Amino acid sequence: MNPRTHFRLVVLYVLVAALLLVLVGRMWTLQVLEGAHYRGIAAQNRTRDIVVPATRGMILDDRGVPLVRNRSALVVSVDRTTLSRQKDGGKTVLRRLAAVLGTSNDEISKRIRLCGPGIKRPCWPGSPYQPIPVEDHVDAKRALQIMERQEDFPGVTAQVQAVRDYPQPDAARPAQVLGYLQPVTQEELDKRTGLKVTGYSGVDLVGRDGLEAQYDAALRGEPGFRKVLVDSQGRVTGTAEDQQPISGSNLVTSIDAGVQGAAETALKHAIDGARKAGRPADAGGAVVMDVQTGRLVAMASYPTYDPGIWTGGISQDEYDALLGKKQGEPLISRVTQGQFAPGSTFKISSVSAAVKDGNSLHGTYDCPGSYNVGNRAFRNFEGEALGPMNLHTALVKSCDTIFYRFAYQEWQRDGGMKPKKNPSDPMVKMARNYGFGAKTGVDLPSESDGRIPDRTWKKDFWEVTRAGNCKGAKEGYPEVAKTDPARAAYLKAVATENCTEGFVWRPGDAANFSVGQGDVLVTPLQLARAYAAMANGGRLLTPRLGVAIVRADGTVVRRIEAPPPKKLPVDTKVLTYIRTALADVPKSGTASGAFSGFDFKRVDVGGKTGTAEVYGKQDTSWFASFGPVKKPRFAVVAMVSQGGQGAQTSAPAVREIWEAMYGTKDKKPILKDGKLPSDLPKMPGEGAAP
């Protein structure tokens, strides 16, 4: 063997020896150093992690009657991930499933597609890695067909699950208060830690509105965890680990189902009556509040809807109807999100401001048919002149011109068109003290602020709208002029004024403000809160719906308390004077017709009508009340958009609510001795009937 060949063999032996050493070393690393790690990976290849959703807690009224509960249903779900691994993308499986369920392949395909821009419902708004329910009313026979033939239905499951049920006790259907559930999104899942969600997990739902969203964490509970063994075809062969879920707690609310049902019925009666009289009456709200605690007893909103529509998926037509103006946007709560000019119900704030500003509480003031504010005459309602009167009568008869005078004189003292450096603006400040222009802090999401306009707001609004106003001042409104020349001329004049000096707080702004008109906007809840503060002696309470979080066995997890109340900067003598005046409104004032024949001995009610003008629409109808007058316990407010005069539409609705709560000679009262339950109710069993 020549030297060159020998050298080559040596090099080959060295390379082979080196490769063997590397191989042995790698085997030692895999089996010894990293053995535990790879044994875990191997185990994972034959196991699947399953998230077991917890049973969601119920939402109860103040007596323990379920407003929202659960019912068991056989739910068929489809796993998109498993279907995607099929040769045909799962089309064959879906055709088989459609045949079993008695539906079309197209319908199932729509239900499992992901929602996105341009995608109409039904579609899946949750995580793409969650099982997607396609049928929640399947019978046991069809469910067995699916589960016994898993080889024909890979990625399809049929399980008994708890779904939300809305029993509507005493005809109570506070949909906007309760809220609704929707599948968890992938973004939300990504934020969660601890449990690995796979295609075998249950459907996780979260609250999207109302109490379901506000108290979601307590209601949802804690999901369980199950690690199951599977064979090569993904069939479950056993359980490796099992951690049971912890059911969600129940939420006890201050809503009384009886009063809630009565409020919804009264509001519907008022709207139907207004429509029969030829008024649009397109929306409304009613609220009952405990003036001593701030607890909300009833919150009715119209139009409303059946919250059960969300269960099992929602069609595009149904979804559009909930959001569309054609159906009145029923998802919106008119109590907490609806913003309307309050009209004369606002005068409790204006009286308080006028007296605090130096006007005599017991003085006599003239009530002419009109009052000149600057160079413009502001008229009383229907131009009626009522002559000299005190503030008591001004509230009972609802004289506007007295309040115009107060506002105009205050505006002049502040410097008029050239205000002094720190204008007092007493009516604006008092309105804010009554809680207007800010969220009440109620334990519901998406509450509106309302609007209390002032000099700063006027300037900011002018800057935003100046370009449009100046364009209208220059070009006019030719399209409007084709059908309504007078309106087009009016709009051009307004645009010209707003373009040049729209930032100025004019005397008309102050005058309109004093009677709850112009740019003033409030929610029915804000008005109820203000009347509660007036009735209870000056404590501005934070409204609350939640009373306690309670486990199914009755254990109290926590009681839900409201923040300490604020104090109204109004003398108690002034508040007493206002209450005494408002007590006469239903007896001899503007609401006397609506309360004719009312049993004031059973419950003495005081209140104030409000009729707010809205440009281009019919008047907004209001009635705000409190009672019993001597020992106030409740504030009841009703509002109907485009409902006409307060005395004609809203006052009868409020009367109906009071009579339901306290009864009449022909009807038993909902409240026993005019009181609500003082203790927490006993917990009903899951799925208990109301």
Side-chain angles (χ1 to χ4, degrees):
M1 181 182 297
N2 59 48
R4 177 174 290 185
T5 301
H6 182 267
F7 176 75
R8 288 176 177 174
L9 287 174
V10 171
V11 172
L12 179 62
Y13 293 153
V14 171
L15 288 175
V16 170
L19 289 173
L20 288 174
L21 286 175
V22 170
L23 181 61
V24 171
R26 182 58 179 162
M27 291 177 62
W28 183 81
T29 300
L30 292 175
Q31 295 182 16
V32 180
L33 292 183
E34 299 179 0
H37 171 69
Y38 286 102
R39 279 194 297 272
I41 294 177
Q44 289 179 8
N45 286 333
R46 58 186 177 86
T47 64
R48 294 292 185 272
D49 296 334
I50 302 175
V51 176
V52 183
T55 301
R56 197 171 179 88
M58 294 184 287
I59 300 177
L60 311 172
D61 85 338
D62 60 344
R63 303 174 196 273
V65 178
L67 299 171
V68 183
R69 60 186 179 186
N70 302 305
R71 61 175 172 82
S72 297
L74 269 170
V75 179
V76 174
S77 301
V78 172
D79 175 24
R80 285 173 51 90
T81 303
T82 303
L83 289 184
S84 66
R85 295 172 182 159
Q86 303 296 309
K87 291 182 179 179
D88 61 353
K91 293 180 180 179
T92 302
V93 175
L94 292 181
R95 282 196 295 269
R96 290 175 188 153
L97 181 60
V100 171
L101 296 180
T103 185
S104 66
N105 180 49
D106 182 62
E107 181 64 22
I108 293 180
S109 298
K110 287 180 180 179
R111 287 186 175 275
I112 67 172
R113 63 183 176 176
L114 302 180
C115 291
I119 302 296
K120 291 187 175 182
R121 293 172 183 262
C123 58
W124 177 245
S127 168
Y129 304 110
Q130 289 284 79
I132 302 173
V134 295
E135 177 59 67
D136 68 342
H137 291 86
V138 68
D139 57 65
K141 182 179 179 180
R142 293 180 179 180
L144 284 173
Q145 283 184 265
I146 296 170
M147 297 311 295
E148 290 177 351
R149 296 162 50 199
Q150 276 293 283
E151 66 277 6
D152 292 334
F153 296 99
V156 181
T157 59
Q159 297 176 326
V160 176
Q161 295 181 5
V163 298
R164 272 326 212 189
D165 183 49
Y166 304 88
Q168 301 179 19
D170 295 313
R173 193 170 66 173
Q176 296 83 2
V177 174
L178 300 175
Y180 58 92
L181 303 178
Q182 283 282 274
V184 64
T185 64
Q186 187 59 40
E187 291 75 12
E188 290 169 324
L189 283 173
D190 292 341
K191 295 177 182 178
R192 298 173 66 183
T193 58
L195 294 175
K196 179 183 177 182
V197 180
T198 72
Y200 287 88
S201 68
V203 178
D204 205 356
L205 300 174
V206 294
R208 294 296 184 210
D209 196 13
L211 293 172
E212 292 275 27
Q214 188 75 23
Y215 294 99
D216 181 68
L219 291 167
R220 193 192 316 166
E222 298 180 16
F225 174 76
R226 184 179 301 142
K227 187 183 290 291
V228 296
L229 304 173
V230 297
D231 60 17
S232 59
Q233 294 183 351
R235 292 176 295 196
V236 177
T237 61
T239 302
E241 187 179 347
D242 193 2
Q243 179 180 318
Q244 291 299 311
I246 300 175
S247 297
S249 297
N250 297 325
L251 171 65
V252 178
T253 72
S254 55
I255 292 291
D256 185 280
V259 179
Q260 175 69 32
E264 292 180 27
T265 301
L267 183 61
K268 183 66 166 56
H269 287 166
I271 289 173
D272 289 344
R275 289 176 175 176
K276 287 181 181 179
R279 293 182 286 273
D282 53 1
V287 55
V288 180
M289 181 176 178
D290 187 325
V291 305
Q292 301 300 332
T293 65
R295 297 293 180 186
L296 293 168
V297 184
M299 295 175 67
S301 181
Y302 184 91
T304 189
Y305 70 98
D306 180 3
I309 197 173
W310 296 99
T311 303
I314 184 172
S315 71
Q316 187 65 39
D317 289 342
E318 291 170 330
Y319 187 73
D320 291 342
L322 292 180
L323 298 174
K325 292 185 177 181
K326 186 176 181 180
Q327 300 297 325
E329 300 173 312
L331 271 185
I332 295 175
S333 168
R334 265 55 184 196
V335 174
T336 60
Q337 297 170 302
Q339 303 179 96
F340 308 87
S344 292
T345 60
F346 194 70
K347 288 176 181 175
I348 63 168
S349 174
S350 297
V351 165
S352 303
V355 174
K356 190 176 181 64
D357 195 46
N359 294 284
S360 173
L361 180 63
H362 301 284
T364 299
Y365 305 93
D366 188 34
C367 179
S370 66
Y371 180 78
N372 284 334
V373 177
N375 58 1
R376 178 185 167 190
F378 278 68
R379 293 165 54 84
N380 219 4
F381 182 71
E382 295 183 344
E384 186 178 9
L386 301 175
M389 62 178 61
N390 55 22
L391 291 178
H392 179 110
T393 306
L395 288 171
V396 174
K397 301 297 183 182
S398 200
C399 173
D400 289 339
T401 49
I402 288 177
F403 292 90
Y404 295 149
R405 180 186 290 108
F406 288 154
Y408 186 41
Q409 290 173 349
E410 291 171 0
W411 178 83
Q412 288 177 318
R413 287 195 294 272
D414 278 336
M417 298 291 283
K418 297 180 179 180
K420 56 188 180 183
K421 186 175 182 180
N422 294 307
S424 59
D425 288 330
M427 287 197 176
V428 171
K429 291 178 181 177
M430 183 59 70
R432 297 191 187 283
N433 286 327
Y434 265 96
F436 297 118
K439 292 180 175 65
T440 66
V442 65
D443 48 344
L444 287 174
S446 305
E447 182 186 9
S448 297
D449 292 282
R451 183 169 67 207
I452 293 299
D454 56 15
R455 300 171 195 276
T456 301
W457 174 86
K458 192 80 184 292
K459 186 175 181 180
D460 292 342
F461 185 73
W462 174 73
E463 290 176 349
V464 171
T465 60
R466 184 182 183 186
N469 282 322
C470 291
K471 181 180 179 181
K474 182 179 180 180
E475 300 176 0
Y477 296 85
E479 293 299 319
V480 178
K482 292 178 181 178
T483 56
D484 193 345
R487 185 186 178 198
Y490 171 77
L491 291 175
K492 183 175 181 179
V494 171
T496 301
E497 187 176 88
N498 288 334
C499 173
T500 55
E501 54 178 20
F503 60 90
V504 177
W505 185 253
R506 301 189 185 94
D509 295 322
N512 279 326
F513 187 99
S514 69
V515 294
Q517 291 275 186
D519 295 311
V520 178
L521 296 176
V522 307
T523 67
L525 182 58
Q526 287 175 331
L527 192 64
R529 184 192 188 202
Y531 271 70
M534 176 271 297
N536 66 28
R539 291 180 296 119
L540 189 66
L541 301 162
T542 300
R544 276 292 177 271
L545 281 159
V547 174
I549 304 296
V550 184
R551 295 195 181 97
D553 61 4
T555 303
V556 179
V557 177
R558 67 181 175 96
R559 291 182 180 269
I560 301 167
E561 303 293 343
K566 298 178 181 178
K567 182 67 177 176
L568 282 181
V570 183
D571 193 291
T572 54
K573 294 180 180 179
V574 176
L575 295 175
T576 301
Y577 186 95
I578 294 174
R579 289 196 298 270
T580 303
L582 297 189
D584 285 339
V585 171
K587 300 181 181 73
S588 59
T590 53
S592 58
F595 278 80
S596 177
F598 184 80
D599 190 351
F600 289 101
K601 292 182 179 180
R602 190 178 292 267
V603 54
D604 193 8
V605 174
K608 186 76 190 74
T609 54
T611 305
E613 297 178 2
V614 183
Y615 181 76
K617 295 183 178 181
Q618 294 196 29
D619 297 342
T620 302
S621 172
W622 288 91
F623 191 74
S625 68
F626 69 98
V629 171
K630 291 185 178 179
K631 293 184 178 180
R633 184 59 193 271
F634 301 106
V636 181
V637 171
M639 178 281 307
V640 177
S641 170
Q642 299 201 81
Q645 296 178 21
Q648 293 175 336
T649 304
S650 293
V654 169
R655 170 181 176 162
E656 188 175 337
I657 295 171
W658 281 109
E659 289 182 334
M661 290 195 298
Y662 283 83
T664 65
K665 65 178 182 179
D666 301 319
K667 185 169 63 175
K668 292 183 179 179
I670 294 173
L671 305 181
K672 185 177 181 180
D673 299 324
K675 297 179 181 178
L676 295 166
S678 56
D679 299 323
L680 290 176
K682 292 183 179 180
M683 291 299 99
E686 186 61 50

